Amino acid sequence: MNRSQMIKQEKDVLRWGGLSGMLGSILLIAAMAIVITMMPSDPATWEEWVTRFADIKTVRILENTVYLMGVILWVPAFLALYYALRRTNLAFALFGSVLGILGLAILMVGALPHIGVMPLADIYYAPETTAADKATLGLLWQGSQAIHESSLAVGILVVPIAMLDLGIAMFGAPTFGKGFAGISLLLGIAGIIGAVGNIITLSEIGAIPVFAIIIFNFVMGWKLFSLSRTAGAITQMEERVMPELRTG
């Protein structure tokens, strides 16, 4: 492969990885907006969660689908970050990208909770369902939601750890510098603290890692896209670094 081909492929990786990261963050914000503007307040009992599902089913499916698409779009961003950082700090670039994709996969697993509860709603409205059955369905609904919350709690812990690793890798990358490295470290630390707090207290502090992940992917997506417009930025950096690695 000649140098021009390498530069073209590099630009494609950085461009599409950067765009995916930014678009994924925009979709996550859109999913939040859907919840804020279109969803009613949470009911008081779990049985009421079942009874109101028919009224919010379409909105819930829309929200969950947008959320899933956003998380999927973050995967190319982590892969592009690995590509951009692999030569200067292979260990942390590899650890960060793998952990990031693993965390995103966990978030994907819990992205469509409506699939697990739709059968419960169908049973609830069946004419042969008794009052005792309906009370039991409320408990089953609670169990289904608990599984969703558990996957979310794990995912929003793993991804900030990945952000921390990638931030460390950025310190040795001239194309990123200490500024983006510092942003990644701060967002990673804030995300980890928020995720641990959420696991311990199950409080609203769980929103902190979610916003940290959204901001990280948008900022780093913008950086990757900017690098794609500088022809051969990574290739030129590698050409400078590789002789040092060989002599070292």
Side-chain angles (χ1 to χ4, degrees):
M1 182 183 299
N2 58 43
R3 191 173 188 277
S4 62
Q5 291 175 321
M6 291 178 60
I7 291 175
K8 182 182 182 303
Q9 292 193 10
E10 172 191 309
K11 292 178 67 175
D12 288 341
V13 170
L14 298 176
R15 179 188 301 112
W16 294 113
L19 288 173
S20 292
M22 290 188 288
L23 181 57
S25 293
I26 292 171
L27 288 179
L28 263 291
I29 295 296
M32 293 181 179
I34 291 172
V35 174
I36 294 172
T37 60
M38 303 176 67
M39 291 288 291
S41 58
D42 292 343
T45 66
W46 283 103
E47 188 174 352
E48 291 174 354
W49 280 93
V50 185
T51 57
R52 76 162 192 171
F53 182 74
D55 298 328
I56 65 168
K57 179 179 177 180
T58 301
V59 177
R60 181 63 74 188
I61 292 174
L62 175 62
E63 173 217 342
N64 292 341
T65 303
V66 172
Y67 167 81
L68 177 60
M69 291 172 60
V71 175
I72 291 173
L73 284 170
W74 280 340
V75 174
F78 275 88
L79 290 172
L81 283 170
Y82 167 73
Y83 175 84
L85 299 169
R86 73 194 192 285
R87 290 296 188 186
T88 51
N89 196 325
L90 176 60
F92 282 97
L94 180 62
F95 300 156
S97 61
V98 171
L99 279 174
I101 293 172
L102 176 62
L104 295 177
I106 296 172
L107 292 177
M108 292 178 205
V109 170
L112 302 176
H114 67 273
I115 293 178
V117 298
M118 279 195 297
L120 300 179
D122 293 338
I123 297 172
Y124 186 92
Y125 288 108
E128 65 272 15
T129 302
T130 65
D133 293 334
K134 291 182 178 180
T136 302
L137 287 170
L139 297 176
L140 293 174
W141 195 286
Q142 183 176 0
S144 177
Q145 289 297 111
I147 295 173
H148 165 68
E149 295 295 336
S150 298
S151 63
L152 177 63
V154 174
I156 62 175
L157 174 62
V158 174
V159 177
I161 295 174
M163 292 156 50
L164 194 65
D165 288 341
L166 290 170
I168 295 173
M170 289 176 196
F171 274 109
T175 52
F176 284 84
K178 294 182 179 180
F180 284 93
I183 292 173
S184 183
L185 290 177
L186 287 175
L187 291 173
I189 292 171
I192 292 171
I193 293 174
V196 172
N198 178 62
I199 292 172
I200 296 173
T201 64
L202 298 178
S203 65
E204 296 299 324
I205 197 173
I208 294 176
V210 174
F211 281 107
I213 296 169
I214 292 173
I215 295 170
F216 172 85
N217 278 280
F218 188 87
V219 172
M220 297 307 159
W222 176 83
K223 178 59 177 178
L224 290 168
F225 183 76
S226 298
L227 287 174
S228 73
R229 294 184 293 179
T230 306
I234 305 299
T235 300
Q236 293 172 10
M237 179 193 70
E238 292 178 357
E239 289 173 348
R240 293 196 302 267
V241 172
M242 287 306 293
E244 298 176 4
L245 295 176
R246 285 194 292 268
T247 56

